[in-house]
């Protein structure tokens, strides 16, 4: 049953965002955009699972290793939900993910952490930028797709874990802060470039963002969106004890 809060939220949506999947997917271009979006998210979750499993090898303690393993498991569960949703809407999951594999693989290769702390900062900063981007997009999705996207973007606990460990490391050795701040700034630039590249290369997805599919963003709104993402990044840097 819909709660009063949900009813208020639904009343604020217009266009496609006020429709469910059955109604919204009648527009072929919108359907293609959603398949792209779910494909990008699914590959991102699969890559996050792989990366966390790799990062666990760098963990300084057994407790840290176990914590990362738990987070990796949560990411894989998110991937399974997205894969199953793609199948349910008659989209082949592997084909939906394939167009985004190269860009995401390039990003991870170019930003491979050199140690445990860099891995934590990458997961916290890089994943959060991606999540902010997808949450912005989710506001323009049909109600069914929006609910799924927001559910798989739920924090797996990595944020608080990373903040605790990084702040402790800086307190123990303040010199660490400067190195990690430079690393985080590099991650910010690479993550935004990667997001822009993914969108630019997929016509349906870019059209949904800049307008042309019902309730899409206009160009000014896209600029405002990236401004909000940048501000959120600055706040996360402060939480880590790092200068933006």
């Amino acid at each position: 049953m819909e709660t009063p809060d949900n009813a208020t939220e639904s009343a604020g949506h217009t266009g496609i965002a006020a429709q469910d999947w059955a109604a919204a997917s009648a527009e072929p271009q919108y359907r293609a955009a959603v398949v792209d979006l779910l494909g990008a998210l699914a590959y991102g979750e699969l890559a996050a699972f792989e990366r966390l499993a790799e990062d666990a090898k760098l963990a300084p303690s057994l407790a840290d290793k176990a914590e990362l393993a738990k987070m990796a498991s949560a990411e894989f569960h998110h991937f399974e939900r997205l894969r199953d949703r793609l199948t349910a809407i008659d989209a082949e999951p592997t084909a939906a993910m394939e167009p985004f594999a190269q860009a995401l693989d390039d990003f991870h290769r170019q930003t491979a952490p050199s140690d445990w702390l860099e891995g934590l900062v990458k997961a916290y900063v890089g994943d959060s930028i991606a999540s902010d981007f997808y949450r912005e997009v989710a506001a323009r999705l049909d109600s069914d797709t929006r609910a799924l996207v927001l559910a798989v973007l739920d924090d797996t606990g990595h944020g608080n874990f990373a903040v605790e460990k990084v702040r402790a490391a800086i307190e123990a050795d303040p010199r660490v802060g400067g190195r990690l701040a430079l690393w985080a700034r590099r991650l910010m630039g690479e993550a935004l470039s990667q997001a822009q590249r993914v969108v630019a290369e997929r016509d349906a997805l870019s059209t949904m963002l800049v307008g042309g599919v019902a309730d899409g963003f206009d160009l000014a709104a896209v600029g405002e969106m990236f401004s909000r993402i940048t501000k959120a990044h600055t706040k996360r840097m402060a939480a880590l004890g790092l200068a933006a």
Side-chain angles (χ1 to χ4, degrees):
M1 180 179 294
E2 190 177 61
T3 65
D5 285 345
N6 286 339
T8 300
E9 180 183 345
S10 297
H13 291 299
T14 60
I16 279 183
Q19 300 175 15
D20 62 11
W21 170 252
S25 60
E27 167 56 54
Q29 193 172 42
Y30 176 76
R31 185 187 183 282
V34 168
V35 170
D36 274 352
L37 182 66
L38 296 183
L41 264 172
Y43 192 78
E45 295 291 346
L46 186 59
F49 160 73
E50 292 178 318
R51 191 183 68 249
L52 285 169
E54 283 296 312
D55 288 351
K57 298 176 182 178
L58 301 172
S61 72
L62 184 58
D64 291 333
K65 188 185 294 288
E67 190 67 22
L68 284 188
K70 182 176 72 174
M71 295 173 195
S73 177
E75 298 288 9
F76 191 76
H77 178 60
H78 289 167
F79 160 73
E80 290 180 312
R81 291 189 64 179
L82 291 160
R83 179 199 61 196
D84 292 347
R85 178 60 179 165
L86 283 163
T87 299
I89 63 174
D90 298 322
E92 205 288 309
T94 301
M97 291 188 289
E98 189 63 39
F100 307 99
Q102 188 64 54
L104 286 167
D105 288 349
D106 287 347
F107 170 74
H108 289 305
R109 184 174 62 253
Q110 292 161 4
T111 58
S114 62
D115 60 21
W116 161 250
L117 290 174
E118 286 190 3
L120 287 178
V121 171
K122 178 180 177 180
Y124 182 57
V125 172
D127 288 357
S128 295
I129 291 169
S131 293
D132 286 345
F133 172 73
Y134 288 124
R135 284 191 182 93
E136 292 276 357
V137 176
R140 296 297 193 271
L141 299 173
D142 66 271
S143 58
D144 297 318
T145 305
R146 181 170 63 249
L148 172 63
V149 169
L150 293 178
V152 300
L153 293 176
D154 277 349
D155 185 13
T156 60
H158 209 150
N160 290 336
F161 182 77
V163 168
E164 176 188 340
K165 296 297 181 180
V166 170
R167 291 189 75 96
I170 293 172
E171 185 176 345
D173 182 2
R175 294 173 299 176
V176 169
R179 173 172 67 87
L180 293 180
L182 288 174
W183 170 244
R185 284 196 286 273
R186 178 186 167 195
L187 289 170
M188 175 66 174
E190 294 283 358
L192 288 179
S193 295
Q194 186 262 336
Q196 291 166 344
R197 174 185 165 190
V198 166
V199 171
E201 291 181 354
R202 302 300 294 176
D203 289 343
L205 197 54
S206 61
T207 299
M208 183 173 70
L209 281 173
V210 302
V213 175
D215 206 25
F217 293 99
D218 58 24
L219 288 173
V222 171
E224 292 169 3
M225 174 184 73
F226 281 108
S227 177
R228 288 192 294 272
I229 291 173
T230 301
K231 289 178 181 177
H233 168 73
T234 301
K235 289 181 180 178
R236 290 191 187 97
M237 291 286 281
L240 287 169
L242 302 174

